[in-house]
Amino acid sequence: RSMPMSSSPSGRVLARRDFSKIMGAATAALALPGCDGRAAVGPDGMPADGPYDTALRDGIMVPMRDGVRLATDVYLPARDGAELPGPWPVILERTPYGRNRPSRSERSVAEPEEAKSRAEVARVFLERGYAVVYQDVLCRYDSEGEYQKYLDDAPDGYDTCAWIVEQAWCDGRIGTKGLSYAAHTQAALASAGAPGIAAMFLDSGGFSNSYQGGIRQGGTFELKQATWAYRNALVSPEVTGDPEVEAAMRAVDIHQWFREMPWRPGHSPVSLAPEYEAYLFEQWTKGEFDDYWKQPGIYALGYHDVWPDAPMVHMSSWYDPYPRTATENYIGLSRTKGSPVRLILGPWTHGDRSLTFAGDVDFGPAATLDGQLARDYWELRVRWFDQWLRGVDNGVDAEPAVRYFVMGGGSGRRTAEGRLDHGGRWRSADDWPLPGAVDTPFYLHVDGALRTQAPASGEASLSYRYDPEDPVPSIGGTITSGAPIMEGGAYDQREREDFFGSAPPFRPLAERSDVLVFQTDPLDEAVEVTGPLVVRLWISSDAPDTDFTAKLIDVYPPNDDFPEGFAMNLTDGIVRCRYRNSWEAPSMMEPGEVYEVVIEAFPTSNLFQAGHRIRVDVSSSNYPHFDLNFNTGEPEGLATGTRIATNTVWMDSTRPSHAVLPLVPVG
């Protein structure tokens, strides 16, 4: 769809800068002979007549189909203060975090803590012969409209691409990039069949199914949506435009709000920002998997047939909310598209692929990126777009389909920074799930054992009381956007002062009466687990509805640095019992009846070393990562009361509760 510019560009030309620090050794290492179809390419992969200067057309207001205009910056190659005519392949990023503000996603190994400006990032691509477009999504920063998180990104992304391909400076090919929300916007426009998409690089996002990862999970609601709403409402036009409202919003005690559940519309930490509160409770109260959750902006699985047949990378990490999204999108698209589809899974927290650690655990210097692919994220991404948008024959088409980081194998001692040296290494595969993985049941036993042998005959169970007013605190995990309440990563599973919900004497979670612990004997030899964790439980409760959680843990034996050992979380999951039979049709439980429930945790990859134990913890809360089940059966997000539930896990020959671990031969 062709749309004219609604305002004249500023014509402001940026002076050329030396960006050797940004690219580090990456550009120098790109000995990539070839041709982009329009101009000769030098030995460093740069156009023979480049590098170019930068011209910026800032603040273009691009109209969407409904007349709302979105603020857009266009960076174009220039020389001697004048734009070059092109046309050029285009790099597009659509973001809610400010099209002209530094991005935390743009960090390098050389400068892992320094966020680069949009202009700096654009320069990397402009020097190589690209145009770059950044756009504020609906009602964020300088864009118009009323905010509705995620749901307008499919039509708006389509309209933006349609506008781009009609511009004289575009050669008809668009490459999309971005982390997190900017990966969601990529999946949204792809699900709408946006024109011109010739390559994609989705980093930690792109909702395969937001009902099962990113917004909800296992029927519960991820409370990172609440902390995100609180922090981003503070910089929204509806708040910053009124000094009194802004002052009142900044005075909100978000920690106190999280101590005083349940909330309700009009009584929440974002009540002063009605648009943000509206989307928050809309997502929270829509517990059933209905048509709302099957829209193109939040359900890529339903639109893979619409996605462009373009080369694409799906990248995520083990302590990120999106490894399930990345693997599901890879599986669906690699089997239906002819173009290369790649999957990269690292050991990081959300977007932190320039760091070697996640939480209190370090994975070694190799963790930042697989050296067989590239030395840095910058190089990796540039090489991808050079191959598919500029025709540079740099070999990315011959690289492995799947690259994943196996955590583990380190010394187990304390690093100079005070973290656990867990170690790890990169491996490659032809496909995901790993062809060599063997799903192996590990059965729960009433003596706390976790064994490959099923329980003997006879009735056996363990019970505990789950009190929503004293939930199990979230100690790391697959969390992002949780500040200032929670954070993701790998940690020793014990309470401590800086984790919300912890209280003196800050005991190990395994000592809580509402946590059931099941673990193997110390391993005689190393065991690798790579893939998703599935836990199948037979349960009963005296409440009409409750939750069950499961967590996979690598238990280190004690040493001089960690005299009590170290219980390292790997992955976790949750299920709300009202959805035990159907995500579309919830049903309450009858007291004393035994039901089967399945918990699907996100994938992980870990080498459990000899002498370690494999542990699975079962409970009924993981707060504030997930919302609380108040055990009353009331509508979700609208609870008015709370009660204590007595929950039981059965583990006998007829009700053999177990965890299924994908075991990979250790070689």
Side-chain angles (χ1 to χ4, degrees):
R1 182 180 173 193
S2 177
M3 298 181 184
M5 290 186 186
S6 60
S7 63
S8 60
S10 69
R12 179 155 52 93
V13 177
L14 303 182
R16 181 178 171 189
R17 294 179 54 188
D18 176 8
F19 280 86
S20 59
K21 286 183 68 179
I22 298 178
M23 290 299 289
T27 300
L30 290 175
L32 309 172
C35 178
D36 67 356
R38 296 179 292 106
V41 177
D44 60 355
M46 302 287 282
D49 60 343
Y52 306 108
D53 297 333
T54 304
L56 169 61
R57 302 183 181 187
D58 60 335
I60 300 170
M61 299 302 291
V62 177
M64 302 293 102
R65 65 189 67 181
D66 58 1
V68 170
R69 302 179 305 165
L70 304 186
T72 307
D73 286 353
V74 178
Y75 294 83
L76 297 171
R79 181 163 290 128
D80 299 326
E83 295 177 3
L84 294 174
W88 316 98
V90 175
I91 303 296
L92 169 66
E93 181 173 328
R94 304 186 65 251
T95 176
Y97 301 123
R99 73 190 190 284
N100 50 16
R101 287 164 170 77
S103 170
R104 70 169 290 272
S105 68
E106 301 291 357
R107 298 174 179 174
S108 66
V109 172
E111 298 173 288
E113 303 296 338
E114 181 180 340
K116 302 295 184 285
S117 71
R118 303 288 186 186
E120 288 175 315
V121 178
R123 163 61 65 185
V124 174
F125 291 102
L126 285 158
E127 288 185 336
R128 308 181 75 82
Y130 297 92
V132 178
V133 176
Y134 286 108
Q135 184 179 74
D136 292 331
V137 301
L138 186 75
C139 195
R140 294 290 292 170
Y141 291 92
D142 296 323
S143 286
E144 300 172 346
E146 295 183 1
Y147 190 60
Q148 184 176 227
K149 193 177 185 184
Y150 305 133
L151 300 183
D152 290 292
D153 289 320
D156 287 353
Y158 182 101
D159 292 351
T160 298
C161 290
W163 175 81
I164 289 172
V165 297
E166 291 296 325
Q167 305 310 304
W169 39 263
C170 175
D171 71 358
R173 293 174 296 170
I174 300 172
T176 62
K177 71 176 184 69
L179 165 76
S180 192
Y181 201 121
H184 301 329
T185 60
Q186 293 183 67
L189 63 85
S191 297
I197 304 302
M200 306 180 74
F201 202 112
L202 296 93
D203 185 358
S204 307
F207 293 131
S208 59
N209 177 359
S210 64
Y211 183 83
Q212 292 292 4
I215 301 179
R216 303 188 74 91
Q217 188 176 332
T220 69
F221 184 59
E222 293 195 53
L223 287 175
K224 74 180 180 71
Q225 293 295 339
T227 48
W228 190 97
Y230 165 74
R231 292 198 335 272
N232 284 273
L234 287 171
V235 297
S236 67
E238 66 178 308
V239 170
T240 59
D242 187 325
E244 291 186 5
V245 172
E246 183 176 11
M249 189 76 185
R250 293 191 179 280
V252 168
D253 185 344
I254 187 68
H255 286 84
Q256 188 60 31
W257 276 104
F258 269 80
R259 286 190 286 267
E260 295 181 355
M261 289 281 181
W263 305 343
R264 59 183 180 277
H267 180 74
S268 78
V270 288
S271 295
L272 293 169
E275 290 182 11
Y276 285 76
E277 187 181 63
Y279 99 73
L280 175 65
F281 278 94
E282 181 176 65
Q283 295 175 350
W284 200 341
T285 57
K286 289 185 177 295
E288 299 172 19
F289 185 55
D290 57 16
D291 288 344
Y292 175 87
W293 297 105
K294 299 173 185 178
Q295 299 182 70
I298 56 175
Y299 185 56
L301 286 178
Y303 299 89
H304 281 167
D305 59 330
V306 181
W307 279 52
D309 192 351
M312 63 187 75
V313 173
H314 297 271
M315 183 172 175
S316 186
S317 44
W318 305 132
Y319 295 99
D320 182 70
Y322 302 109
R324 179 171 179 170
T325 274
T327 54
E328 287 185 341
N329 280 334
Y330 167 81
I331 292 168
L333 292 162
S334 65
R335 287 148 175 74
T336 58
K337 306 300 179 185
S339 298
V341 180
R342 301 287 186 259
L343 176 66
I344 301 173
L345 297 163
W348 320 293
T349 48
H350 187 64
D352 289 325
R353 14 83 179 141
S354 60
L355 303 177
T356 65
F357 62 89
D360 280 348
V361 176
D362 196 281
F363 303 105
T368 53
L369 199 64
D370 183 357
Q372 295 185 37
L373 293 180
R375 278 167 292 278
D376 196 290
Y377 173 73
W378 289 78
E379 179 184 351
L380 177 71
R381 190 175 52 178
V382 167
R383 292 179 71 234
W384 185 257
F385 288 125
D386 275 357
Q387 171 83 40
W388 304 116
L389 295 181
R390 293 181 55 234
V392 177
D393 184 11
N394 56 27
V396 300
D397 55 325
E399 289 172 350
V402 176
R403 297 294 293 183
Y404 64 99
F405 191 88
V406 184
M407 302 179 289
S411 68
R413 306 307 294 264
R414 194 181 297 274
T415 67
E417 295 76 23
R419 300 185 179 94
L420 173 75
D421 174 25
H422 189 62
R425 60 175 177 153
W426 285 95
R427 296 183 66 178
S428 62
D430 296 329
D431 201 7
W432 187 275
L434 298 185
V438 178
D439 288 340
T440 305
F442 282 70
Y443 295 93
L444 315 185
H445 292 261
V446 291
D447 62 355
L450 185 67
R451 305 189 186 103
T452 54
Q453 296 81 23
S457 59
E459 189 172 284
S461 66
L462 293 173
S463 299
Y464 58 90
R465 285 161 57 84
Y466 158 50
D467 183 355
E469 296 187 6
D470 182 25
V472 178
S474 302
I475 310 296
T478 56
I479 297 171
T480 188
S481 302
I485 300 298
M486 52 185 158
E487 63 179 279
Y491 293 92
D492 190 10
Q493 292 300 287
R494 63 175 59 237
E495 298 181 9
R496 69 187 203 194
E497 188 174 10
D498 55 337
F499 280 106
F500 184 88
S502 298
F506 303 119
R507 53 190 168 157
L509 296 186
E511 293 182 6
R512 289 181 60 109
S513 62
D514 56 355
V515 175
L516 303 182
V517 175
F518 304 92
Q519 59 185 351
T520 64
D521 292 333
L523 298 172
D524 294 328
E525 56 187 22
V527 173
E528 180 185 328
V529 173
T530 297
L533 167 70
V534 177
V535 178
R536 191 176 298 273
L537 302 176
W538 277 259
I539 60 91
S540 57
S541 176
D542 63 357
D545 186 38
T546 193
D547 294 346
F548 281 88
T549 66
K551 183 182 298 180
L552 180 64
I553 296 170
D554 185 345
V555 180
Y556 271 78
N559 61 33
D560 291 342
D561 290 338
F562 300 97
E564 297 184 57
F566 194 102
M568 173 185 164
N569 57 306
L570 298 169
T571 186
D572 58 72
I574 190 168
V575 66
R576 185 147 290 169
C577 290
R578 69 177 69 183
Y579 299 108
R580 65 195 178 278
N581 297 322
S582 169
W583 304 117
E584 293 83 2
S587 60
M588 299 299 154
M589 298 187 295
E590 294 294 330
E593 289 292 318
V594 178
Y595 302 96
E596 183 180 356
V597 298
V598 177
I599 301 171
E600 298 180 42
F602 288 170
T604 190
S605 182
N606 188 68
L607 181 71
F608 294 83
Q609 295 191 79
H612 290 213
R613 298 174 187 261
I614 302 172
R615 184 172 118 193
V616 174
D617 288 359
V618 174
S619 189
S620 289
S621 55
N622 184 349
Y623 182 78
H625 188 174
F626 303 106
D627 70 331
L628 295 168
N629 193 319
F630 296 104
N631 303 321
T632 62
E634 292 179 282
E636 293 172 275
L638 299 172
T640 60
T642 182
R643 58 172 287 187
I644 297 174
T646 298
N647 293 337
T648 300
V649 178
W650 297 84
M651 50 201 87
D652 50 46
S653 59
T654 58
R655 294 162 294 197
S657 295
H658 60 275
V660 179
L661 302 183
L663 301 188
V664 176
V666 176

